[in-house]
Amino acid sequence: MVLVNYIVMCLIFGTTFLAIKVGVDAGAPPFFSAGIRFFLAGLILFAFMVWKKQARVSLLLRKEMLLTGLCLTFGTFATLYWAEQHISSGIAAVLSATAPLLVMLLQTRLSRQKLSAISWAGCLAGLAGVTLLLLPGLTFSFSVLWIAGCIAVLVGQLFYSAGAVYSRRVSQQFKDVSPITLNAAQMMYGGVLLLVISAFTEQVHTEFLFSSQALFSLLYLIFVGSMMGHSIFYWLVAKTNPLFPSTWLYISPLIALTLGAVLYQEPLHLSSLAGGLAIIAGIVMINLNALKQLVSKKAPLKHAESPTK
């Protein structure tokens, strides 16, 4: 069951990028659809945890939930949803995989620790991968919006890295609260912030809900992408260890690239594929010591980051 659930989780997180792209292309306002997705998913999960008597409504009054939601959901997905209007879902997925690199750099900066040689090599590999990903838009068919979309995804990962580092402190502060509850609360706040920015920047016409593609995308992202995917992630954390489930970051971007090219006829240049592989290699190099621990099972592992896709 562990292996089956792991495969299902990787497939879910690998398909969410294409689901976002389908919804946006079908006319769903990016900020509004993202806000509805995360607010409803968080609300349903939080209400379920309250019903199970594993959460208290008073948790929503804590500023930590707002700050976490600001970074992990609002900042990350406002940029991602906007960007997928202009770039392919596969490119968005691979660029999103730079998050572990940024988290590591931020942690190193805050702790004033020196990076190992293998970590620096991983950073350089990741940087080379991002450069290769950007090449098609710079050389084959230059597009300002394409470049802006790529940059927007990277900015979103800066938000995510800050939120991931901050959420570690929050999880230690609320040790008696389930990670599912904390994640549900931050999704609700992030969803509300997305709806607020939508109210000021978008003209929302409910006609898009009558589009089968837009409606399917929204429902899939709420129930499968946000609720089912996250639940499997935390189940795997409980059944195995914190690191193993987070290795979806090495697999799902390549799934997204493949699905986008095969099912949605998204262009896939060789440089983009090489860039994706370089980014994944960089992530592996940065997390090499932790992966060795996972294989040997000799040392306790640190708390994993919450999934975001």
Side-chain angles (χ1 to χ4, degrees):
M1 286 302 297
V2 167
L3 180 60
V4 170
N5 278 285
Y6 177 76
I7 293 173
V8 170
M9 180 190 66
C10 289
L11 289 173
I12 288 174
F13 289 146
T15 56
T16 52
F17 293 92
L18 181 57
I20 292 172
K21 182 69 173 177
V22 169
V24 170
D25 285 353
F31 298 145
F32 180 79
S33 54
I36 289 294
R37 168 194 173 182
F38 285 104
F39 179 73
L40 289 181
L43 179 63
I44 295 170
L45 279 176
F46 194 83
F48 176 75
M49 297 302 286
V50 170
W51 178 70
K52 294 269 292 182
K53 297 182 179 180
Q54 296 182 18
R56 295 181 180 180
V57 178
S58 59
L59 181 69
L60 297 176
L61 302 178
R62 300 299 300 262
K63 69 179 186 302
E64 290 85 357
M65 301 302 103
L66 171 61
L67 294 175
T68 309
L70 175 66
C71 293
L72 290 183
T73 294
F74 174 74
T76 304
F77 287 95
T79 51
L80 177 63
Y81 271 72
W82 181 87
E84 288 213 35
Q85 296 176 108
H86 309 293
I87 65 175
S88 69
S89 62
I91 296 298
V94 176
L95 287 173
S96 295
T98 58
L101 283 72
L102 297 175
V103 170
M104 186 271 299
L105 290 173
L106 182 58
Q107 286 181 322
T108 303
R109 176 66 176 175
L110 293 175
S111 62
R112 296 182 180 179
Q113 295 178 348
K114 292 184 178 180
L115 289 179
S116 63
I118 190 67
S119 294
W120 275 116
C123 289
L124 293 175
L127 180 61
V130 171
T131 303
L132 286 171
L133 277 175
L134 294 177
L135 277 179
L138 291 171
T139 56
F140 300 123
S141 56
F142 180 79
S143 169
V144 174
L145 286 176
W146 194 91
I147 298 298
C150 292
I151 293 174
V153 176
L154 294 174
V155 170
Q157 300 318 301
L158 289 175
F159 274 96
Y160 175 81
S161 61
V165 172
Y166 178 69
S167 67
R168 287 184 175 179
R169 300 180 184 179
V170 174
S171 62
Q172 293 174 355
Q173 183 178 349
F174 297 91
K175 291 182 179 180
D176 57 335
V177 180
S178 166
I180 295 179
T181 302
L182 293 175
N183 192 50
Q186 71 87 10
M187 281 198 297
M188 289 174 64
Y189 271 110
V192 169
L193 292 173
L194 285 163
L195 291 174
V196 169
I197 193 175
S198 172
F200 285 98
T201 61
E202 297 174 331
Q203 290 185 348
V204 179
H205 301 288
T206 55
E207 288 83 358
F208 83 89
L209 291 173
F210 295 99
S211 165
S212 59
Q213 289 184 323
L215 184 59
F216 173 78
S217 168
L218 182 60
L219 294 176
Y220 181 84
L221 289 168
I222 290 173
F223 293 102
V224 180
S226 294
M227 295 178 61
M228 184 178 175
H230 287 206
S231 297
I232 293 176
F233 178 89
Y234 290 116
W235 183 87
L236 286 170
V237 169
K239 294 295 182 180
T240 57
N241 56 59
L243 177 64
F244 174 67
S246 65
T247 56
W248 72 269
L249 282 165
Y250 312 148
I251 300 172
S252 292
L254 299 180
I255 293 175
L257 270 176
T258 303
L259 290 177
V262 174
L263 299 181
Y264 211 59
Q265 290 76 54
E266 292 182 339
L268 180 59
H269 299 281
L270 288 177
S271 62
S272 299
L273 182 59
L277 293 174
I279 289 174
I280 302 303
I283 297 172
V284 172
M285 293 166 72
I286 288 173
N287 291 279
L288 190 59
N289 290 333
L291 289 171
K292 288 179 179 179
Q293 292 180 17
L294 175 61
V295 174
S296 63
K297 296 182 181 179
K298 290 181 179 180
L301 300 171
K302 294 182 179 180
H303 191 277
E305 306 300 343
S306 300
T308 62
K309 309 300 182 250

